[in-house]
Amino acid sequence: MEEFEKPQVSMEEDTEMEESDAVENPKASQKSSSDSESSDSEEETDQNEQLLALEYELSTNPSNYDAHVQYIKLLRRSAEIDKLREARENMNTLFPLSPEMWMEWAKDEASLSNDSNFESVEKLYERGISEYLSILLWCEYLNYVQEHDPKVRDCLADGISKARNLFERAVTAAALHVSQGSQIWDAYIQYEQAILLTIDQSDIQAKEKQVQHIRSIFHRYLSIPLASLKSTLLTYKAWEVEQGNSLDAEAGDVLGISSHVALAYQKAEEMYNARAHHEEQITRQDISESERFQHYMSYLDFEKSFGDPARVQILYERAITDFPVSNDLWLHYTHYLDKTLKVGNVVKDVYSRATRNCPWVGELWVRYLLCLERGLACEKEISAAFEKSLKCTFSTFEEYLDLFLTRVDGLRRRISSASGDGVLNYSLIRESFQQAADYLSPHMKNTDGLLHLHAYWARLELKLGNDLIAARGVWESLLKTCGSMLEAWKSYIAMEIELDHINEARAIYKRCYSKRFSGTGSEDICHSWLRFEREFGTLEDLNHAVQKVTPRLEELQLFRLQQESKSFTGATDQRQQTLKNTSRERRKSGSSAIDEQPPAKWQKYTSQNKKLHKKENTQELNLAENDGEEKEGEVEKKVNEKQMKDTKNTTSRLYKDQCTAFVSNLNIMAKDEDLHQFFSDVGGVTAIRILHDKFTGKSRGLAYVDFKDDEHLAAAVAKNKQMFLGKKLSVARSNPKQGKRESLAHTAPGEEASNQSGGRGRSVSKESGEDSKGSRGRKRVENIQLKGKNTFAVPRNVKPLGWTNKSGTREEEDEKPKSNDEFRKMFMKT
């Protein structure tokens, strides 16, 4: 504040100076005065424009911190005292002011007033020291009181008492500051020494008492780990010499002073040496703010390890002064105070400052309300803090919900314990709930948080308000906005059941069982209704519920099957298209390799093997659709052999029990539980096995159902041709031996091999097909081997084209047939 700190010049002196300058150089003075007037007018115009712009900005956006700061700076330049005072008050209403701004404000007010306005300036200093820890602001405050308070200045008894109390407050608040706390102690000692000088020399008792008082302050001073410990020791020894004690004032040791003071000094020196490194880190100027913050946190952990709350608190205050808007720092600070102090004005004051510095942190407001409740604050103070919190902007609506719930919790506890101040009643809780519902319902629709709010509200309406109609109204209001939320209906029903209102609960079930809920919610509410009627209803109620629920469940099951079928069909089509594209690429690559051969060989190859090549391509496509992209013939052979072996073992295991029903035309989406439910009226089911494709894992539409005796099996067979999951089910008695004979009697050998290999090799040559006609009706069929990269069935009594030995005669029957690749190589050579 440059204008207010300048020495005042009287109007007469200023006039004389201007007249002397005009007499000495009238032309220069006229020119300089005109230039200064023009420049001053331009600056004033610019300043007024800036002021108008800032006033408009603050009127539209009062939370703009930087605009407040700039506005105050411009008003100080223009010396508009009334506007300046108003601007500072407006800013402090919204934000805490920095120590520098408080010092400027106090000095401005002090320069414009006399001692009669001392109390208003003193209040400004008090407001300033309550915002942040500032040694400089404390020193300015102490100096101002000593200079402008008449009682303190004249060393009257009341003034001395007031000054000492103020110094003790400064010692408690700031004297533990390691790097700057010595300034408070030095000012305290200087004030007491000034009092000593005012005491009459003849009053030896008063002088001795004052000397002892100063000595005790020195002793306290020397017991605190401060950066100026050594210089303080020298000062103390010099003062003792002045009092007539024989000490070596220049020696920096503790010789000559009392033992308890020496021990306290040595301990303080050790404590300072342990903290010197941390002090150096947090005061460095060549580090970033984030690094400084981390050094503060490390320093705090170090102080906490010693368990001295006063030292930890002073360090937190220093960190807050450097990082006033760090929400993590405020959260750590308040959490520490809650754990160590729990109650008291100190904790409440810190929470108040925390919410002013970081009003956007909902957790701070929640803990502030709890702090006020622990401190037995009145309802007016708690309500004011709550209303102030609602004006803040939080990042999530869950923070607002937590705030509302904390408010209701406090009201409930105080009403239940009858510890209120006479103004508490249930209407406050209802108003808080209604305010929360009105504000949060549009933003938290169908969320667990909103459900919890209304459930809590309805319960308190019953317990504290004793109003059942109001409790039902709470649930009805929730269902208007969250009618598709299953848990809302279930909670409403649970309340009615708890109150033993069975008919009301049944009415709610009738309202919601036909609604569509997410996931399996629709099925769940139907089953829940049936359980309810079994436990609370009559047989007629149960039958009525079954009549209502059964068509609904069938409709839901059919709809779900259709959706799953659509998704399965889409995935299958996409997979088949991918396989076709892969097969097409493979055919293209094969044809390009053949095109590179000489024309003669190509013609020969085409004429002799056109039919065989066509069959092989068909087999390649079938293999690609079932296997993916198996490339080696040996792998195919091992897979087929293993599958045949597994099928044989599985068949023997499945047919071990003769009381078995064979179920076909089964919906591929059916599960074991569905079949068990289908045969539930028959009973006696011991096991259910749905057959799945070995490669795709999908259901084959076939199943075996074991029963414990023939009676249950016969009853199950009687359900043949009944509808099940949208398909007409085929149920027959399983007879594995007869089924095998019929299969061998009516199936060609090539087809049997194809079936045993999981549908592979379905394309069989004409020769094998004709030969198989003669083998129908045989009791025994010779083993069939699957050979080659693209496998096809080859009976042993049919030899493929071109199968001869070196002598030109046909090979014996036990000779192994050639694979497709061998055929190609043979024709290429010819």
Side-chain angles (χ1 to χ4, degrees):
M1 220 193 84
E2 300 174 356
E3 287 77 11
F4 298 112
E5 296 174 5
K6 289 182 179 180
Q8 300 295 324
V9 180
S10 63
M11 294 182 62
E12 292 81 1
E13 293 177 352
D14 187 46
T15 305
E16 291 177 357
M17 292 171 61
E18 291 179 357
E19 290 179 354
S20 62
D21 291 339
V23 171
E24 292 177 359
N25 194 353
K27 294 183 178 181
S29 61
Q30 291 178 0
K31 182 178 181 182
S32 61
S33 62
S34 61
D35 293 340
S36 61
E37 288 177 0
S38 61
S39 60
D40 291 342
S41 61
E42 292 178 359
E43 290 179 2
E44 185 178 357
T45 302
D46 295 339
Q47 186 170 288
N48 291 333
E49 292 178 356
Q50 293 179 18
L51 286 173
L52 291 174
L54 288 171
E55 288 174 357
Y56 176 78
E57 172 64 21
L58 292 175
S59 63
T60 57
N61 185 16
S63 60
N64 189 335
Y65 182 88
D66 294 333
H68 280 285
V69 175
Q70 294 298 325
Y71 186 53
I72 290 173
K73 286 182 178 180
L74 287 176
L75 289 177
R76 290 188 73 232
R77 292 178 186 174
S78 61
E80 298 186 29
I81 305 304
D82 294 335
K83 279 190 175 182
L84 177 60
R85 187 180 294 116
E86 182 182 1
R88 282 168 168 161
E89 292 290 352
N90 292 337
M91 182 178 180
N92 191 233
T93 302
L94 299 173
F95 306 102
L97 304 184
S98 65
E100 294 76 15
M101 297 182 72
W102 281 113
M103 281 189 289
E104 289 177 352
W105 191 355
K107 288 181 179 180
D108 290 349
E109 295 293 342
S111 66
L112 297 172
S113 61
N114 49 29
D115 292 344
S116 62
N117 200 27
F118 168 77
E119 291 184 358
S120 61
V121 178
E122 188 178 25
K123 289 180 181 179
L124 287 177
Y125 276 114
E126 287 288 342
R127 291 168 61 183
I129 60 176
S130 66
E131 295 279 334
Y132 300 108
L133 173 63
S134 173
I135 303 297
L136 184 58
L137 184 60
W138 267 108
C139 291
E140 291 286 343
Y141 183 21
L142 293 170
N143 292 333
Y144 177 77
V145 171
Q146 294 179 67
E147 294 177 3
H148 295 84
D149 191 331
K151 294 181 179 180
V152 176
R153 184 177 55 205
D154 298 337
C155 293
L156 300 179
D158 293 342
I160 293 174
S161 177
K162 176 181 178 180
R164 284 176 176 172
N165 290 335
L166 187 60
F167 272 111
E168 288 296 331
R169 286 177 56 199
V171 167
T172 303
L176 295 179
H177 195 299
V178 176
S179 61
Q180 301 178 11
S182 58
Q183 299 179 35
I184 301 294
W185 289 107
D186 292 339
Y188 197 0
I189 291 174
Q190 289 175 8
Y191 175 72
E192 294 295 343
Q193 289 176 340
I195 295 176
L196 179 61
L197 297 177
T198 61
I199 299 176
D200 191 355
Q201 295 292 334
S202 60
D203 194 351
I204 299 176
Q205 186 177 0
K207 287 181 69 68
E208 185 62 28
K209 183 179 179 180
Q210 182 63 19
V211 168
Q212 189 60 35
H213 184 67
I214 297 173
R215 182 175 289 115
S216 66
I217 297 176
F218 265 118
H219 290 174
R220 293 167 60 191
Y221 190 2
L222 292 171
S223 65
I224 298 176
L226 300 174
S228 61
L229 263 178
K230 293 183 179 180
S231 61
T232 303
L233 179 62
L234 295 175
T235 303
Y236 170 62
K237 295 173 73 173
W239 180 81
E240 288 288 1
V241 170
E242 291 178 1
Q243 306 309 313
N245 298 320
S246 58
L247 292 174
D248 187 1
E250 297 182 357
D253 51 28
V254 294
L255 294 177
I257 62 177
S258 59
S259 59
H260 70 279
V261 177
L263 289 175
Y265 173 82
Q266 291 173 351
K267 183 179 178 180
E269 191 173 26
E270 292 176 0
M271 293 176 64
Y272 172 74
N273 292 334
R275 291 161 175 77
H277 172 70
H278 292 288
E279 288 291 331
E280 180 183 357
Q281 293 295 328
I282 64 174
T283 56
R284 287 175 57 185
Q285 301 298 324
D286 58 341
I287 59 175
S288 63
E289 292 299 311
S290 60
E291 291 176 325
R292 192 187 312 279
F293 182 83
Q294 292 302 322
H295 289 316
Y296 263 116
M297 301 307 294
S298 301
Y299 197 178
L300 285 166
D301 292 336
F302 173 79
E303 286 291 359
K304 289 177 183 178
S305 64
F306 289 93
D308 188 349
R311 300 201 62 82
V312 175
Q313 186 179 356
I314 198 71
L315 185 57
Y316 265 120
E317 290 292 343
R318 292 174 62 184
I320 289 297
T321 303
D322 288 347
F323 301 96
V325 292
S326 173
N327 56 334
D328 291 334
L329 189 57
W330 282 109
L331 288 170
H332 281 92
Y333 188 14
T334 53
H335 178 72
Y336 174 78
L337 293 178
D338 285 336
K339 185 173 63 175
T340 55
L341 301 181
K342 291 183 173 34
V343 295
N345 292 329
V346 175
V347 183
K348 183 174 71 172
D349 175 68
V350 172
Y351 269 114
S352 177
R353 293 161 53 207
T355 53
R356 281 174 56 80
N357 282 272
C358 300
W360 60 87
V361 182
E363 184 179 354
L364 286 174
W365 286 103
V366 168
R367 288 159 59 175
Y368 184 23
L369 293 177
L370 294 175
C371 173
L372 292 174
E373 184 180 356
R374 283 193 296 266
L376 302 179
C378 63
E379 169 59 20
K380 182 178 180 181
E381 185 177 4
I382 297 176
S383 177
F386 175 69
E387 293 298 332
K388 189 182 296 183
S389 67
L390 295 181
K391 298 178 181 179
C392 301
T393 303
F394 301 142
S395 58
T396 62
F397 288 102
E398 283 74 13
E399 291 181 277
Y400 287 102
L401 175 62
D402 194 16
L403 193 64
F404 278 111
L405 293 177
T406 303
R407 168 64 169 162
V408 172
D409 293 341
L411 290 171
R412 176 189 59 80
R413 284 189 289 263
R414 286 182 290 155
I415 292 176
S416 300
S417 62
S419 61
D421 48 11
V423 298
L424 293 179
N425 54 61
Y426 183 73
S427 62
L428 292 175
I429 294 180
R430 184 175 292 146
E431 291 174 2
S432 299
F433 272 124
Q434 188 63 56
Q435 188 179 10
D438 294 341
Y439 182 74
L440 297 176
S441 293
H443 308 287
M444 299 184 67
K445 187 177 180 181
N446 295 330
T447 60
D448 292 338
L450 193 62
L451 173 63
H452 173 65
L453 177 71
H454 284 79
Y456 190 14
W457 186 3
R459 183 166 61 85
L460 292 187
E461 288 287 356
L462 289 174
K463 300 297 182 182
L464 297 181
N466 298 320
D467 193 340
L468 176 60
I469 296 177
R472 288 172 176 167
V474 170
W475 286 115
E476 293 294 339
S477 64
L478 176 64
L479 293 178
K480 289 180 180 179
T481 57
C482 302
S484 60
M485 193 175 183
L486 176 62
E487 291 302 322
W489 291 95
K490 284 187 173 182
S491 300
Y492 191 6
I493 293 170
M495 184 195 75
E496 296 291 356
I497 294 176
E498 185 179 358
L499 297 173
D500 202 24
H501 296 163
I502 305 303
N503 292 330
E504 287 76 6
R506 182 178 293 113
I508 300 173
Y509 271 120
K510 292 179 181 180
R511 291 170 56 189
C512 67
Y513 85 96
S514 60
K515 290 184 175 294
R516 184 174 297 278
F517 300 102
S518 61
T520 60
S522 301
E523 291 89 340
D524 292 345
I525 197 63
C526 292
H527 293 305
S528 177
W529 188 10
L530 294 178
R531 287 194 299 271
F532 166 79
E533 295 297 353
R534 284 199 300 268
E535 297 174 5
F536 299 98
T538 63
L539 183 59
E540 294 180 357
D541 295 329
L542 179 60
N543 291 336
H544 178 73
V546 170
Q547 292 177 0
K548 293 288 186 180
V549 166
T550 301
R552 176 60 176 166
L553 289 175
E554 293 177 354
E555 176 188 354
L556 293 171
Q557 196 169 23
L558 180 60
F559 174 77
R560 200 170 301 283
L561 288 173
Q562 290 175 351
Q563 295 298 114
E564 293 176 353
S565 177
K566 288 180 181 179
S567 60
F568 175 76
T569 303
T572 304
D573 293 343
Q574 183 178 3
R575 181 170 176 269
Q576 289 180 351
Q577 183 63 34
T578 303
L579 293 174
K580 287 180 180 180
N581 294 337
T582 305
S583 178
R584 188 180 298 110
E585 294 295 331
R586 293 172 63 184
R587 287 199 300 271
K588 288 182 179 179
S589 60
S591 62
S592 62
I594 296 175
D595 291 341
E596 295 176 358
Q597 300 178 12
K601 290 187 176 182
W602 163 242
Q603 294 175 359
K604 182 176 181 180
Y605 178 82
T606 304
S607 61
Q608 293 180 354
N609 300 287
K610 183 177 181 180
K611 187 180 299 183
L612 182 61
H613 186 65
K614 180 179 179 181
K615 293 178 181 178
E616 290 175 352
N617 286 339
T618 306
Q619 294 165 2
E620 287 182 2
L621 180 58
N622 292 333
L623 283 173
E625 293 176 352
N626 289 287
D627 288 359
E629 291 186 2
E630 291 189 11
K631 296 183 178 180
E632 298 296 333
E634 289 299 324
V635 174
E636 183 70 25
K637 176 181 177 182
K638 292 180 180 179
V639 170
N640 289 330
E641 290 176 353
K642 186 177 183 303
Q643 184 181 7
M644 294 167 69
K645 183 178 179 181
D646 293 343
T647 304
K648 183 177 180 181
N649 294 336
T650 303
T651 304
S652 62
R653 178 172 54 82
L654 292 176
Y655 296 146
K656 186 176 182 180
D657 190 358
Q658 294 300 319
C659 297
T660 303
F662 176 69
V663 182
S664 59
N665 199 32
L666 185 66
N667 193 304
I668 62 173
M669 305 306 296
K671 307 294 182 184
D672 291 355
E673 295 80 3
D674 300 328
L675 277 175
H676 198 285
Q677 184 178 1
F678 179 74
F679 290 111
S680 61
D681 57 341
V682 174
V685 177
T686 60
I688 297 176
R689 298 176 297 279
I690 298 177
L691 303 185
H692 296 84
D693 187 270
K694 194 168 186 66
F695 297 96
T696 64
K698 299 295 183 180
S699 173
R700 295 170 58 188
L702 305 174
Y704 291 96
V705 183
D706 296 340
F707 295 88
K708 61 183 180 181
D709 52 39
D710 287 337
E711 294 181 0
H712 291 90
L713 176 60
V717 174
K719 295 175 68 69
N720 185 34
K721 304 301 180 182
Q722 291 188 14
M723 295 299 295
F724 177 67
L725 299 183
K727 300 185 69 173
K728 188 176 290 185
L729 207 63
S730 176
V731 184
R733 182 184 295 271
S734 175
N735 192 346
K737 294 182 179 180
Q738 179 181 355
K740 182 176 181 180
R741 288 196 298 270
E742 291 177 355
S743 175
L744 295 178
H746 297 87
T747 305
E751 295 173 346
E752 182 180 358
S754 174
N755 292 332
Q756 290 181 354
S757 61
R760 299 186 181 194
R762 297 182 183 272
S763 177
V764 186
S765 62
K766 284 185 178 181
E767 290 83 352
S768 63
E770 293 173 356
D771 187 80
S772 64
K773 292 179 182 178
S775 62
R776 290 182 181 177
R778 296 181 183 178
K779 295 183 179 179
R780 181 176 177 275
V781 180
E782 296 181 357
N783 291 333
I784 298 173
Q785 295 183 356
L786 306 178
K787 304 290 183 179
K789 179 180 178 181
N790 296 318
T791 309
F792 56 91
V794 182
R796 281 187 172 276
N797 58 353
V798 178
K799 297 299 181 180
L801 180 63
W803 187 262
T804 58
N805 55 16
K806 293 182 179 179
S807 61
T809 62
R810 300 182 65 84
E811 291 288 331
E812 296 297 328
E813 296 244 351
D814 57 351
E815 192 78 17
K816 294 183 179 180
K818 295 183 180 295
S819 65
N820 297 335
D821 292 337
E822 291 173 340
F823 266 115
R824 294 191 185 96
K825 293 178 180 179
M826 181 181 67
F827 285 120
M828 294 287 290
K829 291 178 180 180
T830 57

